[in-house]
Amino acid sequence: MRKIFLISILLIAGAYDLRACDICGCGVGSYYIGILPDFKKRFVGLRYQYKTLTSHLGPGGSRSYLTTAETYQTAELWGGWNIGRRFRVIGFVPLNFNSRENQGVSMHRSGVGDIAAVGYYQLLDKQQTAGSKLLVQSLWMGAGIKLPTGRYEPAEHKENEDAPNNFQLGTASTDFTLNAMYDVRLMDVGLNANVSYKINTNNRYDYQYGNKFTANLLAYYKIRLKEKLTIAPNAGMLYETAAKDRETKKYKVDISGGYSLMATIGMEATIGNISAGANFQPAVSQQLADMRIKAGNRAMVHVTYLF
């Protein structure tokens, strides 16, 4: 149990020492995983994510006639494939729906976002008994790539320099991720940890989103109701940091950077080959773009086919 505790701490503790792209997970290039469906070979599914952001805040978070409400919705095709016992590939194809409203004037932007893929290698796959109970551990390490398939509007940033450059469908850059997934379960009670560090490159418009670090920790409990029906209520925390964006590789963008801490509560269910889940993520603490940006609560639902 001491080894389990140390691994969990190491996976999460790095979040407080690193500076990381898009503010608070809104807008471009955010790939939250959470608890994966319990699949043996492959899965494919649809996820829907809803996020909000308030920008153009004044000193101390005060509102003015410039204050803008932004909504980011994503319908995402995602899937995973276990290759043999040690390799796993997960892919994401997002369709983004962005909206912005200020004083009754609305603006909308929608289209395909940046597709991404992550490859994992399983470093730990262990089952043992702890007293009379079964203890199961797994650790996956991997790396991924995000391609510039989403549309990027350079004029958006030039015309709104006092707002975060989030209202984009893509980043116009090829970016890379380093990932780790750790899961430990004692009988039906488990702990799941995910960490990801995203390395962003300079795009062709000479804009570079800051590198991003994300870590989430979820506790869950599996309840078997019938032979083919299992539910797993879960709760935990999600932490993200965002470094300042840069222009021409040297000038920091003031309206960028910061951190957010979200609570997470959700439910996963598996009925035969069908997995479904939902979670709600209320904001707990944040400091974004020198308090000129405020993240709202988030929600996500998914339906997945296991085969």
Side-chain angles (χ1 to χ4, degrees):
M1 293 300 292
R2 183 179 298 176
K3 290 182 179 179
I4 297 170
F5 177 77
L6 288 174
I7 291 174
S8 301
I9 293 299
L10 287 172
L11 285 173
I12 300 302
Y16 296 93
D17 296 319
L18 293 172
R19 286 293 172 185
C21 108
D22 53 308
I23 287 180
C24 75
C26 293
V28 290
S30 179
Y31 299 101
Y32 172 80
I33 294 181
I35 298 177
L36 281 177
D38 189 10
F39 69 104
K40 297 184 183 300
K41 291 291 185 179
R42 296 171 291 272
F43 78 85
V44 62
L46 291 173
R47 302 199 301 179
Y48 169 76
Q49 300 183 59
Y50 179 90
K51 306 172 184 178
T52 60
L53 186 72
T54 304
S55 61
H56 294 87
L57 296 175
S62 61
R63 292 173 176 264
S64 70
Y65 70 95
L66 293 174
T67 300
T68 302
E70 302 179 11
T71 301
Y72 297 90
Q73 303 177 74
T74 300
E76 184 175 61
L77 175 67
W78 75 319
W81 183 17
N82 284 346
I83 305 171
R85 292 182 58 251
R86 294 290 183 182
F87 293 95
R88 169 179 291 174
V89 177
I90 300 177
F92 308 86
V93 182
L95 183 62
N96 295 328
F97 302 88
N98 303 343
S99 63
R100 172 190 290 162
E101 183 172 350
N102 173 254
Q103 294 188 320
V105 178
S106 299
M107 179 179 178
H108 302 274
R109 183 171 293 163
S110 62
V112 175
D114 290 342
I115 65 174
V118 183
Y120 290 92
Y121 178 77
Q122 191 174 39
L123 290 177
L124 177 65
D125 181 16
K126 189 175 182 180
Q127 296 187 16
Q128 64 188 87
T129 56
S132 60
K133 298 182 178 181
L134 179 64
L135 179 67
V136 181
Q137 297 181 74
S138 67
L139 175 62
W140 297 79
M141 304 289 289
I145 185 170
K146 184 192 70 62
L147 301 177
T149 53
R151 185 176 180 181
Y152 178 88
E153 298 282 357
E156 165 65 27
H157 174 58
K158 299 299 181 182
E159 295 172 1
N160 297 277
E161 292 186 349
D162 57 344
N165 193 16
N166 268 13
F167 204 71
Q168 304 282 1
L169 299 176
T171 64
S173 60
T174 299
D175 307 320
F176 306 92
T177 60
L178 300 174
N179 308 79
M181 297 188 299
Y182 174 67
D183 190 270
V184 56
R185 178 169 52 87
L186 183 63
M187 298 298 286
D188 295 324
V189 179
L191 192 65
N192 180 272
N194 281 275
V195 293
S196 175
Y197 185 63
K198 186 163 174 278
I199 303 166
N200 297 288
T201 65
N202 199 54
N203 67 22
R204 62 180 179 272
Y205 303 104
D206 228 6
Y207 191 93
Q208 184 174 0
Y209 289 91
N211 295 337
K212 179 179 179 179
F213 184 86
T214 303
N216 74 275
L217 182 65
L218 290 171
Y220 63 89
Y221 180 57
K222 288 190 174 184
I223 306 171
R224 184 178 296 276
L225 299 178
K226 294 183 178 180
E227 183 179 352
K228 293 186 177 181
L229 173 60
T230 302
I231 64 172
N234 58 82
M237 304 297 290
L238 169 65
Y239 179 82
E240 297 177 331
T241 64
K244 297 288 187 182
D245 300 347
R246 290 182 179 271
E247 290 188 279
T248 64
K249 298 183 180 180
K250 56 182 178 179
Y251 299 110
K252 291 184 179 180
V253 178
D254 290 334
I255 310 301
S256 64
Y259 75 88
S260 65
L261 178 66
M262 320 290 289
T264 299
I265 183 169
M267 177 76 72
E268 298 290 322
T270 301
I271 307 174
N273 291 334
I274 303 297
S275 176
N279 66 54
F280 177 65
Q281 299 175 355
V284 175
S285 176
Q286 57 184 285
Q287 186 173 348
L288 303 170
D290 297 326
M291 303 299 290
R292 298 176 66 181
I293 307 297
K294 185 177 181 180
N297 301 330
R298 310 182 198 174
M300 184 185 76
V301 295
H302 79 87
V303 177
T304 304
Y305 177 63
L306 318 173
F307 62 103

